[in-house]
Amino acid sequence: MLQKYLPAEAGQAKSQYNVLEIGSGTGQHAVYMPEHLTGLVWQPSDYDESYATSVAAWTHGMPNVKPWIRLDASASPEQWPVEASWFDCVYNCNTVHIAPIAVLDGLVPGAARCLKKGGKLVTYGPYKLNGRHTAESNADFDASLRARNPEWGIRDFEEVNQRALSSGFVLEGREDMPSNNFLCVWRKQ
Ligand SMILES: C[S@@+](CC[C@H](N)C(=O)[O-])C[C@H]1O[C@@H](n2cnc3c(N)ncnc32)[C@H](O)[C@@H]1O
């Protein structure tokens, strides 16, 4: 589904479509995406340094994956250890609900800073729509997240969208995905 929002060249080697992944975790997307879309140049990152070794092992020998970097998405945009206006895409999967709201506070303006004009901010995960869960299972999941950490929880799509619009993005699309998740894509104007 992501491919629908990427230029055709992203699938062709040498295109150099630069993607910054926020919250890569163990690195499964850092392997899958660049392996299948060879025009991507994938920059994995996470704030948790314990993932560095795992990502390095998984992506070893992949020419279009950059060495893992430590990036705390809750930091102010100027503190992100990446160049301004460099990336074509900032990709973030299953993170904003499993992290304090400070991650969202940093993610949207941080992405706005490091994306080129026309670059995409992509998030994947569950959202509430108009304040309501889209499935009973998401309500249960939300309760379990909040029980683990009161600062975690499924976010409202409208709130995230409003933040994105305020940071200079336009919503390009929102796709229904399996297990009551959404793929959301904003474009930097
Ligand atoms: C549920 S895991 C998702 C991992 C991966 N994206 C996936 O979909 O499999 C959430 C990730 O967000 C990361 N994370 C949490 N807070 C963060 C922060 N402030 N900055 C960057 N990453 C963060 C965690 O370390 C973890 O790797």
Side-chain angles (χ1 to χ4, degrees):
M1 183 61 78
L2 177 62
Q3 208 169 349
K4 173 177 164 186
Y5 292 95
L6 302 180
E9 310 87 78
Q12 297 156 12
K14 300 192 183 135
S15 98
Q16 301 274 312
Y17 187 86
N18 291 298
V19 181
L20 171 64
E21 182 180 14
I22 304 293
S24 310
T26 53
Q28 42 184 311
H29 299 110
V31 173
Y32 184 85
M33 300 288 195
E35 197 171 54
H36 289 84
L37 294 169
T38 50
L40 304 183
V41 178
W42 200 268
Q43 173 64 75
S45 78
D46 205 290
Y47 86 134
D48 184 344
E49 289 185 24
S50 70
Y51 289 120
T53 318
S54 156
V55 175
W58 278 101
T59 60
H60 180 72
M62 293 180 68
N64 54 338
V65 181
K66 298 270 192 191
W68 183 95
I69 56 170
R70 182 176 187 277
L71 190 158
D72 180 354
S74 67
S76 64
E78 300 71 32
Q79 290 174 320
W80 284 26
V82 290
E83 233 179 279
S85 307
W86 170 255
F87 290 96
D88 299 287
C89 178
V90 169
Y91 175 82
N92 178 238
C93 180
N94 286 325
T95 295
V96 293
H97 54 293
I98 313 181
I101 197 75
V103 165
L104 203 47
D105 293 340
L107 176 69
V108 178
R113 177 176 176 272
C114 71
L115 283 170
K116 298 172 183 167
K117 188 168 186 281
K120 314 276 172 92
L121 168 61
V122 177
T123 68
Y124 183 102
Y127 283 106
K128 288 187 271 186
L129 297 184
N130 296 310
R132 301 172 77 91
H133 287 295
T134 59
E136 197 53 43
S137 58
N138 278 12
D140 295 343
F141 181 41
D142 190 30
S144 74
L145 289 172
R146 290 175 194 279
R148 280 168 68 191
N149 185 330
E151 290 192 79
W152 294 2
I154 294 181
R155 311 296 172 196
D156 276 301
F157 170 77
E158 287 76 14
E159 189 205 332
V160 181
N161 188 42
Q162 198 47 57
R163 285 167 180 256
L165 301 187
S166 304
S167 286
F169 289 95
V170 287
L171 180 64
E172 201 164 82
R174 191 186 71 205
E175 306 282 348
D176 289 335
M177 300 300 283
S179 307
N180 307 302
N181 288 305
F182 293 103
L183 178 81
C184 307
V185 182
W186 289 271
R187 188 179 67 253
K188 180 176 162 179
Q189 288 180 298

mmCIF file of all heavy atoms in Angstrom, residues 80-128:
data_model
loop_
_atom_site.group_PDB
_atom_site.id
_atom_site.type_symbol
_atom_site.label_atom_id
_atom_site.label_comp_id
_atom_site.label_asym_id
_atom_site.label_seq_id
_atom_site.Cartn_x
_atom_site.Cartn_y
_atom_site.Cartn_z
ATOM 1 N N TRP A 80 17.316 16.731 16.290
ATOM 2 C CA TRP A 80 17.343 15.469 15.536
ATOM 3 C C TRP A 80 18.682 15.406 14.782
ATOM 4 O O TRP A 80 19.069 16.379 14.126
ATOM 5 C CB TRP A 80 16.185 15.432 14.532
ATOM 6 C CG TRP A 80 14.833 15.147 15.140
ATOM 7 C CD1 TRP A 80 14.424 15.403 16.410
ATOM 8 C CD2 TRP A 80 13.714 14.537 14.471
ATOM 9 N NE1 TRP A 80 13.112 14.997 16.582
ATOM 10 C CE2 TRP A 80 12.660 14.466 15.415
ATOM 11 C CE3 TRP A 80 13.507 14.060 13.182
ATOM 12 C CZ2 TRP A 80 11.419 13.924 15.085
ATOM 13 C CZ3 TRP A 80 12.272 13.532 12.862
ATOM 14 C CH2 TRP A 80 11.238 13.455 13.811
ATOM 15 N N PRO A 81 19.391 14.266 14.862
ATOM 16 C CA PRO A 81 20.728 14.185 14.282
ATOM 17 C C PRO A 81 20.711 13.892 12.777
ATOM 18 O O PRO A 81 21.411 12.993 12.283
ATOM 19 C CB PRO A 81 21.345 13.016 15.064
ATOM 20 C CG PRO A 81 20.177 12.128 15.352
ATOM 21 C CD PRO A 81 18.991 13.025 15.549
ATOM 22 N N VAL A 82 19.891 14.645 12.064
ATOM 23 C CA VAL A 82 19.772 14.455 10.608
ATOM 24 C C VAL A 82 19.710 15.828 9.950
ATOM 25 O O VAL A 82 19.354 16.816 10.593
ATOM 26 C CB VAL A 82 18.507 13.638 10.232
ATOM 27 C CG1 VAL A 82 18.639 12.186 10.650
ATOM 28 C CG2 VAL A 82 17.248 14.254 10.829
ATOM 29 N N GLU A 83 20.015 15.829 8.654
ATOM 30 C CA GLU A 83 20.053 17.092 7.927
ATOM 31 C C GLU A 83 18.645 17.626 7.664
ATOM 32 O O GLU A 83 17.725 16.834 7.401
ATOM 33 C CB GLU A 83 20.716 16.831 6.570
ATOM 34 C CG GLU A 83 21.873 17.746 6.267
ATOM 35 C CD GLU A 83 22.478 17.412 4.922
ATOM 36 O OE1 GLU A 83 23.271 16.451 4.882
ATOM 37 O OE2 GLU A 83 22.140 18.087 3.948
ATOM 38 N N ALA A 84 18.515 18.934 7.683
ATOM 39 C CA ALA A 84 17.226 19.547 7.335
ATOM 40 C C ALA A 84 16.981 19.393 5.833
ATOM 41 O O ALA A 84 17.923 19.380 5.032
ATOM 42 C CB ALA A 84 17.234 21.023 7.718
ATOM 43 N N SER A 85 15.729 19.247 5.468
ATOM 44 C CA SER A 85 15.287 19.197 4.064
ATOM 45 C C SER A 85 16.027 18.143 3.233
ATOM 46 O O SER A 85 16.306 18.355 2.055
ATOM 47 C CB SER A 85 15.464 20.567 3.385
ATOM 48 O OG SER A 85 14.844 21.556 4.145
ATOM 49 N N TRP A 86 16.353 17.010 3.841
ATOM 50 C CA TRP A 86 17.126 15.977 3.139
ATOM 51 C C TRP A 86 16.254 14.802 2.708
ATOM 52 O O TRP A 86 16.413 14.247 1.610
ATOM 53 C CB TRP A 86 18.267 15.487 4.032
ATOM 54 C CG TRP A 86 18.954 14.275 3.499
ATOM 55 C CD1 TRP A 86 18.828 12.994 3.943
ATOM 56 C CD2 TRP A 86 19.858 14.231 2.398
ATOM 57 N NE1 TRP A 86 19.602 12.140 3.190
ATOM 58 C CE2 TRP A 86 20.242 12.880 2.229
ATOM 59 C CE3 TRP A 86 20.374 15.210 1.528
ATOM 60 C CZ2 TRP A 86 21.127 12.472 1.223
ATOM 61 C CZ3 TRP A 86 21.264 14.798 0.529
ATOM 62 C CH2 TRP A 86 21.625 13.449 0.398
ATOM 63 N N PHE A 87 15.312 14.417 3.542
ATOM 64 C CA PHE A 87 14.579 13.169 3.301
ATOM 65 C C PHE A 87 13.355 13.369 2.396
ATOM 66 O O PHE A 87 12.742 14.432 2.379
ATOM 67 C CB PHE A 87 14.150 12.530 4.628
ATOM 68 C CG PHE A 87 15.317 11.979 5.393
ATOM 69 C CD1 PHE A 87 15.925 12.726 6.386
ATOM 70 C CD2 PHE A 87 15.845 10.728 5.088
ATOM 71 C CE1 PHE A 87 17.021 12.235 7.075
ATOM 72 C CE2 PHE A 87 16.949 10.230 5.760
ATOM 73 C CZ PHE A 87 17.535 10.984 6.759
ATOM 74 N N ASP A 88 13.052 12.300 1.665
ATOM 75 C CA ASP A 88 11.844 12.278 0.825
ATOM 76 C C ASP A 88 10.661 11.731 1.600
ATOM 77 O O ASP A 88 9.511 11.946 1.216
ATOM 78 C CB ASP A 88 12.092 11.388 -0.401
ATOM 79 C CG ASP A 88 13.228 11.909 -1.255
ATOM 80 O OD1 ASP A 88 13.017 12.923 -1.935
ATOM 81 O OD2 ASP A 88 14.326 11.323 -1.214
ATOM 82 N N CYS A 89 10.956 10.963 2.658
ATOM 83 C CA CYS A 89 9.881 10.331 3.412
ATOM 84 C C CYS A 89 10.336 10.102 4.856
ATOM 85 O O CYS A 89 11.489 9.732 5.086
ATOM 86 C CB CYS A 89 9.534 8.989 2.744
ATOM 87 S SG CYS A 89 8.265 8.031 3.585
ATOM 88 N N VAL A 90 9.435 10.350 5.801
ATOM 89 C CA VAL A 90 9.641 9.955 7.203
ATOM 90 C C VAL A 90 8.584 8.904 7.496
ATOM 91 O O VAL A 90 7.378 9.156 7.317
ATOM 92 C CB VAL A 90 9.509 11.158 8.161
ATOM 93 C CG1 VAL A 90 9.465 10.689 9.608
ATOM 94 C CG2 VAL A 90 10.672 12.131 7.961
ATOM 95 N N TYR A 91 9.040 7.716 7.867
ATOM 96 C CA TYR A 91 8.155 6.566 8.039
ATOM 97 C C TYR A 91 8.135 6.162 9.507
ATOM 98 O O TYR A 91 9.197 6.028 10.133
ATOM 99 C CB TYR A 91 8.689 5.423 7.169
ATOM 100 C CG TYR A 91 7.965 4.111 7.326
ATOM 101 C CD1 TYR A 91 6.774 3.880 6.655
ATOM 102 C CD2 TYR A 91 8.488 3.104 8.135
ATOM 103 C CE1 TYR A 91 6.105 2.663 6.793
ATOM 104 C CE2 TYR A 91 7.829 1.888 8.272
ATOM 105 C CZ TYR A 91 6.637 1.680 7.589
ATOM 106 O OH TYR A 91 5.984 0.489 7.733
ATOM 107 N N ASN A 92 6.935 5.947 10.033
ATOM 108 C CA ASN A 92 6.803 5.653 11.458
ATOM 109 C C ASN A 92 5.682 4.642 11.648
ATOM 110 O O ASN A 92 4.534 4.925 11.344
ATOM 111 C CB ASN A 92 6.481 6.967 12.188
ATOM 112 C CG ASN A 92 6.283 6.763 13.659
ATOM 113 O OD1 ASN A 92 5.232 7.089 14.185
ATOM 114 N ND2 ASN A 92 7.254 6.217 14.340
ATOM 115 N N CYS A 93 6.053 3.474 12.141
ATOM 116 C CA CYS A 93 5.075 2.387 12.247
ATOM 117 C C CYS A 93 4.912 1.956 13.704
ATOM 118 O O CYS A 93 5.908 1.703 14.397
ATOM 119 C CB CYS A 93 5.580 1.212 11.402
ATOM 120 S SG CYS A 93 4.499 -0.199 11.409
ATOM 121 N N ASN A 94 3.674 1.866 14.143
ATOM 122 C CA ASN A 94 3.363 1.321 15.478
ATOM 123 C C ASN A 94 4.144 1.963 16.608
ATOM 124 O O ASN A 94 4.741 1.277 17.435
ATOM 125 C CB ASN A 94 3.622 -0.208 15.483
ATOM 126 C CG ASN A 94 2.546 -0.927 14.719
ATOM 127 O OD1 ASN A 94 1.385 -0.527 14.747
ATOM 128 N ND2 ASN A 94 2.927 -1.989 14.031
ATOM 129 N N THR A 95 4.174 3.267 16.627
ATOM 130 C CA THR A 95 4.940 3.948 17.671
ATOM 131 C C THR A 95 4.125 4.975 18.455
ATOM 132 O O THR A 95 4.194 4.993 19.682
ATOM 133 C CB THR A 95 6.195 4.622 17.068
ATOM 134 O OG1 THR A 95 7.047 3.593 16.579
ATOM 135 C CG2 THR A 95 6.963 5.427 18.091
ATOM 136 N N VAL A 96 3.347 5.821 17.786
ATOM 137 C CA VAL A 96 2.784 6.982 18.509
ATOM 138 C C VAL A 96 1.824 6.579 19.625
ATOM 139 O O VAL A 96 1.634 7.325 20.576
ATOM 140 C CB VAL A 96 2.131 8.030 17.563
ATOM 141 C CG1 VAL A 96 3.178 8.695 16.703
ATOM 142 C CG2 VAL A 96 1.020 7.445 16.730
ATOM 143 N N HIS A 97 1.254 5.373 19.547
ATOM 144 C CA HIS A 97 0.348 4.931 20.627
ATOM 145 C C HIS A 97 1.106 4.168 21.721
ATOM 146 O O HIS A 97 0.579 3.952 22.803
ATOM 147 C CB HIS A 97 -0.790 4.070 20.063
ATOM 148 C CG HIS A 97 -0.337 2.904 19.238
ATOM 149 N ND1 HIS A 97 0.299 3.062 18.023
ATOM 150 C CD2 HIS A 97 -0.405 1.566 19.445
ATOM 151 C CE1 HIS A 97 0.588 1.887 17.526
ATOM 152 N NE2 HIS A 97 0.180 0.950 18.364
ATOM 153 N N ILE A 98 2.359 3.753 21.405
ATOM 154 C CA ILE A 98 3.145 2.981 22.380
ATOM 155 C C ILE A 98 4.286 3.864 22.879
ATOM 156 O O ILE A 98 5.425 3.424 23.073
ATOM 157 C CB ILE A 98 3.642 1.653 21.754
ATOM 158 C CG1 ILE A 98 2.493 0.962 21.017
ATOM 159 C CG2 ILE A 98 4.206 0.710 22.826
ATOM 160 C CD1 ILE A 98 2.834 -0.371 20.368
ATOM 161 N N ALA A 99 3.996 5.134 23.016
ATOM 162 C CA ALA A 99 4.979 6.116 23.462
ATOM 163 C C ALA A 99 4.207 7.303 24.041
ATOM 164 O O ALA A 99 3.038 7.507 23.688
ATOM 165 C CB ALA A 99 5.833 6.561 22.273
ATOM 166 N N PRO A 100 4.843 8.080 24.894
ATOM 167 C CA PRO A 100 4.163 9.269 25.429
ATOM 168 C C PRO A 100 3.810 10.252 24.317
ATOM 169 O O PRO A 100 4.424 10.229 23.238
ATOM 170 C CB PRO A 100 5.198 9.872 26.384
ATOM 171 C CG PRO A 100 6.162 8.782 26.662
ATOM 172 C CD PRO A 100 6.173 7.901 25.453
ATOM 173 N N ILE A 101 2.877 11.149 24.604
ATOM 174 C CA ILE A 101 2.424 12.133 23.612
ATOM 175 C C ILE A 101 3.582 13.021 23.151
ATOM 176 O O ILE A 101 3.563 13.583 22.057
ATOM 177 C CB ILE A 101 1.247 12.981 24.170
ATOM 178 C CG1 ILE A 101 0.488 13.717 23.060
ATOM 179 C CG2 ILE A 101 1.715 13.924 25.267
ATOM 180 C CD1 ILE A 101 -0.394 12.847 22.235
ATOM 181 N N ALA A 102 4.653 13.075 23.986
ATOM 182 C CA ALA A 102 5.831 13.876 23.619
ATOM 183 C C ALA A 102 6.431 13.397 22.292
ATOM 184 O O ALA A 102 7.060 14.184 21.568
ATOM 185 C CB ALA A 102 6.881 13.795 24.724
ATOM 186 N N VAL A 103 6.224 12.128 21.955
ATOM 187 C CA VAL A 103 6.761 11.624 20.679
ATOM 188 C C VAL A 103 6.013 12.266 19.511
ATOM 189 O O VAL A 103 6.617 12.671 18.506
ATOM 190 C CB VAL A 103 6.711 10.080 20.637
ATOM 191 C CG1 VAL A 103 6.901 9.554 19.228
ATOM 192 C CG2 VAL A 103 7.801 9.512 21.548
ATOM 193 N N LEU A 104 4.709 12.400 19.677
ATOM 194 C CA LEU A 104 3.924 13.071 18.633
ATOM 195 C C LEU A 104 4.294 14.556 18.576
ATOM 196 O O LEU A 104 4.383 15.143 17.491
ATOM 197 C CB LEU A 104 2.438 12.886 18.964
ATOM 198 C CG LEU A 104 1.428 12.999 17.838
ATOM 199 C CD1 LEU A 104 1.836 12.196 16.624
ATOM 200 C CD2 LEU A 104 0.073 12.549 18.364
ATOM 201 N N ASP A 105 4.525 15.136 19.770
ATOM 202 C CA ASP A 105 4.921 16.551 19.825
ATOM 203 C C ASP A 105 6.191 16.788 19.006
ATOM 204 O O ASP A 105 6.350 17.835 18.388
ATOM 205 C CB ASP A 105 5.230 16.981 21.281
ATOM 206 C CG ASP A 105 4.000 16.987 22.165
ATOM 207 O OD1 ASP A 105 2.879 17.031 21.645
ATOM 208 O OD2 ASP A 105 4.180 16.941 23.408
ATOM 209 N N GLY A 106 7.107 15.797 19.037
ATOM 210 C CA GLY A 106 8.363 15.965 18.319
ATOM 211 C C GLY A 106 8.280 15.471 16.881
ATOM 212 O O GLY A 106 8.903 16.035 15.982
ATOM 213 N N LEU A 107 7.503 14.410 16.673
ATOM 214 C CA LEU A 107 7.492 13.753 15.357
ATOM 215 C C LEU A 107 7.048 14.688 14.226
ATOM 216 O O LEU A 107 7.710 14.766 13.187
ATOM 217 C CB LEU A 107 6.560 12.527 15.399
ATOM 218 C CG LEU A 107 6.377 11.804 14.064
ATOM 219 C CD1 LEU A 107 7.669 11.108 13.643
ATOM 220 C CD2 LEU A 107 5.235 10.785 14.146
ATOM 221 N N VAL A 108 5.946 15.396 14.449
ATOM 222 C CA VAL A 108 5.384 16.162 13.329
ATOM 223 C C VAL A 108 6.303 17.332 12.941
ATOM 224 O O VAL A 108 6.705 17.439 11.775
ATOM 225 C CB VAL A 108 3.930 16.593 13.634
ATOM 226 C CG1 VAL A 108 3.375 17.421 12.494
ATOM 227 C CG2 VAL A 108 3.050 15.363 13.891
ATOM 228 N N PRO A 109 6.713 18.190 13.904
ATOM 229 C CA PRO A 109 7.638 19.265 13.496
ATOM 230 C C PRO A 109 9.019 18.747 13.094
ATOM 231 O O PRO A 109 9.679 19.329 12.228
ATOM 232 C CB PRO A 109 7.727 20.171 14.734
ATOM 233 C CG PRO A 109 7.230 19.346 15.866
ATOM 234 C CD PRO A 109 6.292 18.328 15.302
ATOM 235 N N GLY A 110 9.442 17.622 13.705
ATOM 236 C CA GLY A 110 10.737 17.043 13.322
ATOM 237 C C GLY A 110 10.710 16.576 11.878
ATOM 238 O O GLY A 110 11.654 16.802 11.112
ATOM 239 N N ALA A 111 9.604 15.940 11.505
ATOM 240 C CA ALA A 111 9.459 15.483 10.110
ATOM 241 C C ALA A 111 9.395 16.691 9.175
ATOM 242 O O ALA A 111 10.008 16.693 8.102
ATOM 243 C CB ALA A 111 8.210 14.623 9.973
ATOM 244 N N ALA A 112 8.668 17.720 9.606
ATOM 245 C CA ALA A 112 8.546 18.917 8.756
ATOM 246 C C ALA A 112 9.923 19.522 8.481
ATOM 247 O O ALA A 112 10.198 20.004 7.385
ATOM 248 C CB ALA A 112 7.632 19.941 9.429
ATOM 249 N N ARG A 113 10.788 19.453 9.477
ATOM 250 C CA ARG A 113 12.123 20.047 9.304
ATOM 251 C C ARG A 113 13.009 19.209 8.383
ATOM 252 O O ARG A 113 13.723 19.736 7.538
ATOM 253 C CB ARG A 113 12.815 20.211 10.657
ATOM 254 C CG ARG A 113 14.228 20.753 10.549
ATOM 255 C CD ARG A 113 14.840 21.000 11.912
ATOM 256 N NE ARG A 113 16.216 21.435 11.778
ATOM 257 C CZ ARG A 113 17.249 20.604 11.707
ATOM 258 N NH1 ARG A 113 17.067 19.299 11.755
ATOM 259 N NH2 ARG A 113 18.473 21.073 11.594
ATOM 260 N N CYS A 114 12.974 17.895 8.555
ATOM 261 C CA CYS A 114 13.969 17.093 7.814
ATOM 262 C C CYS A 114 13.461 16.618 6.446
ATOM 263 O O CYS A 114 14.234 16.042 5.684
ATOM 264 C CB CYS A 114 14.485 15.935 8.664
ATOM 265 S SG CYS A 114 13.311 14.629 8.930
ATOM 266 N N LEU A 115 12.191 16.879 6.142
ATOM 267 C CA LEU A 115 11.694 16.498 4.810
ATOM 268 C C LEU A 115 11.950 17.618 3.795
ATOM 269 O O LEU A 115 11.889 18.800 4.118
ATOM 270 C CB LEU A 115 10.181 16.234 4.860
ATOM 271 C CG LEU A 115 9.742 14.906 5.455
ATOM 272 C CD1 LEU A 115 8.226 14.897 5.673
ATOM 273 C CD2 LEU A 115 10.153 13.735 4.562
ATOM 274 N N LYS A 116 12.134 17.174 2.551
ATOM 275 C CA LYS A 116 12.167 18.129 1.446
ATOM 276 C C LYS A 116 10.738 18.612 1.195
ATOM 277 O O LYS A 116 9.782 17.931 1.595
ATOM 278 C CB LYS A 116 12.603 17.426 0.147
ATOM 279 C CG LYS A 116 13.962 16.838 0.160
ATOM 280 C CD LYS A 116 14.157 16.006 -1.109
ATOM 281 C CE LYS A 116 15.518 15.335 -1.066
ATOM 282 N NZ LYS A 116 15.662 14.278 -2.087
ATOM 283 N N LYS A 117 10.607 19.695 0.460
ATOM 284 C CA LYS A 117 9.277 20.118 0.008
ATOM 285 C C LYS A 117 8.685 18.973 -0.831
ATOM 286 O O LYS A 117 9.394 18.402 -1.673
ATOM 287 C CB LYS A 117 9.436 21.372 -0.851
ATOM 288 C CG LYS A 117 8.158 22.043 -1.248
ATOM 289 C CD LYS A 117 8.484 23.418 -1.843
ATOM 290 C CE LYS A 117 7.238 24.204 -2.138
ATOM 291 N NZ LYS A 117 6.551 23.864 -3.338
ATOM 292 N N GLY A 118 7.476 18.612 -0.561
ATOM 293 C CA GLY A 118 6.854 17.500 -1.294
ATOM 294 C C GLY A 118 7.100 16.147 -0.632
ATOM 295 O O GLY A 118 6.522 15.139 -1.034
ATOM 296 N N GLY A 119 7.966 16.129 0.390
ATOM 297 C CA GLY A 119 8.248 14.872 1.096
ATOM 298 C C GLY A 119 7.040 14.389 1.886
ATOM 299 O O GLY A 119 6.134 15.170 2.194
ATOM 300 N N LYS A 120 7.053 13.090 2.215
ATOM 301 C CA LYS A 120 5.875 12.477 2.846
ATOM 302 C C LYS A 120 6.158 12.084 4.289
ATOM 303 O O LYS A 120 7.205 11.517 4.597
ATOM 304 C CB LYS A 120 5.485 11.184 2.110
ATOM 305 C CG LYS A 120 5.456 11.277 0.584
ATOM 306 C CD LYS A 120 4.160 11.834 0.088
ATOM 307 C CE LYS A 120 4.188 12.111 -1.399
ATOM 308 N NZ LYS A 120 3.738 11.036 -2.222
ATOM 309 N N LEU A 121 5.190 12.359 5.139
ATOM 310 C CA LEU A 121 5.187 11.816 6.499
ATOM 311 C C LEU A 121 4.182 10.675 6.506
ATOM 312 O O LEU A 121 3.006 10.867 6.166
ATOM 313 C CB LEU A 121 4.769 12.890 7.513
ATOM 314 C CG LEU A 121 4.448 12.397 8.933
ATOM 315 C CD1 LEU A 121 5.661 11.723 9.585
ATOM 316 C CD2 LEU A 121 3.971 13.559 9.811
ATOM 317 N N VAL A 122 4.662 9.489 6.853
ATOM 318 C CA VAL A 122 3.821 8.291 6.822
ATOM 319 C C VAL A 122 3.734 7.705 8.225
ATOM 320 O O VAL A 122 4.767 7.496 8.876
ATOM 321 C CB VAL A 122 4.430 7.225 5.869
ATOM 322 C CG1 VAL A 122 3.611 5.945 5.888
ATOM 323 C CG2 VAL A 122 4.537 7.776 4.453
ATOM 324 N N THR A 123 2.517 7.447 8.687
ATOM 325 C CA THR A 123 2.368 6.724 9.953
ATOM 326 C C THR A 123 1.492 5.503 9.703
ATOM 327 O O THR A 123 0.624 5.506 8.830
ATOM 328 C CB THR A 123 1.720 7.581 11.071
ATOM 329 O OG1 THR A 123 0.359 7.839 10.746
ATOM 330 C CG2 THR A 123 2.460 8.877 11.287
ATOM 331 N N TYR A 124 1.768 4.479 10.477
ATOM 332 C CA TYR A 124 0.983 3.235 10.381
ATOM 333 C C TYR A 124 0.596 2.835 11.798
ATOM 334 O O TYR A 124 1.432 2.856 12.706
ATOM 335 C CB TYR A 124 1.821 2.128 9.739
ATOM 336 C CG TYR A 124 1.059 0.832 9.544
ATOM 337 C CD1 TYR A 124 0.558 0.486 8.293
ATOM 338 C CD2 TYR A 124 0.825 -0.039 10.609
ATOM 339 C CE1 TYR A 124 -0.161 -0.686 8.111
ATOM 340 C CE2 TYR A 124 0.103 -1.216 10.434
ATOM 341 C CZ TYR A 124 -0.384 -1.529 9.178
ATOM 342 O OH TYR A 124 -1.096 -2.692 9.003
ATOM 343 N N GLY A 125 -0.651 2.465 11.980
ATOM 344 C CA GLY A 125 -1.072 1.997 13.304
ATOM 345 C C GLY A 125 -2.551 2.259 13.521
ATOM 346 O O GLY A 125 -3.252 2.728 12.625
ATOM 347 N N PRO A 126 -3.049 1.967 14.714
ATOM 348 C CA PRO A 126 -4.464 2.210 15.015
ATOM 349 C C PRO A 126 -4.702 3.675 15.382
ATOM 350 O O PRO A 126 -3.822 4.322 15.948
ATOM 351 C CB PRO A 126 -4.699 1.305 16.238
ATOM 352 C CG PRO A 126 -3.377 1.252 16.931
ATOM 353 C CD PRO A 126 -2.330 1.356 15.856
ATOM 354 N N TYR A 127 -5.856 4.179 15.031
ATOM 355 C CA TYR A 127 -6.273 5.528 15.442
ATOM 356 C C TYR A 127 -7.733 5.482 15.839
ATOM 357 O O TYR A 127 -8.497 4.656 15.321
ATOM 358 C CB TYR A 127 -6.149 6.521 14.274
ATOM 359 C CG TYR A 127 -4.735 6.977 13.999
ATOM 360 C CD1 TYR A 127 -4.044 6.492 12.891
ATOM 361 C CD2 TYR A 127 -4.110 7.902 14.823
ATOM 362 C CE1 TYR A 127 -2.744 6.911 12.625
ATOM 363 C CE2 TYR A 127 -2.818 8.317 14.563
ATOM 364 C CZ TYR A 127 -2.141 7.826 13.470
ATOM 365 O OH TYR A 127 -0.862 8.243 13.212
ATOM 366 N N LYS A 128 -8.130 6.400 16.720
ATOM 367 C CA LYS A 128 -9.559 6.644 16.923
ATOM 368 C C LYS A 128 -10.013 7.603 15.818
ATOM 369 O O LYS A 128 -9.218 8.433 15.350
ATOM 370 C CB LYS A 128 -9.800 7.292 18.292
ATOM 371 C CG LYS A 128 -9.606 6.330 19.451
ATOM 372 C CD LYS A 128 -10.011 6.941 20.771
ATOM 373 C CE LYS A 128 -8.859 7.658 21.411
ATOM 374 N NZ LYS A 128 -9.122 8.156 22.769
#
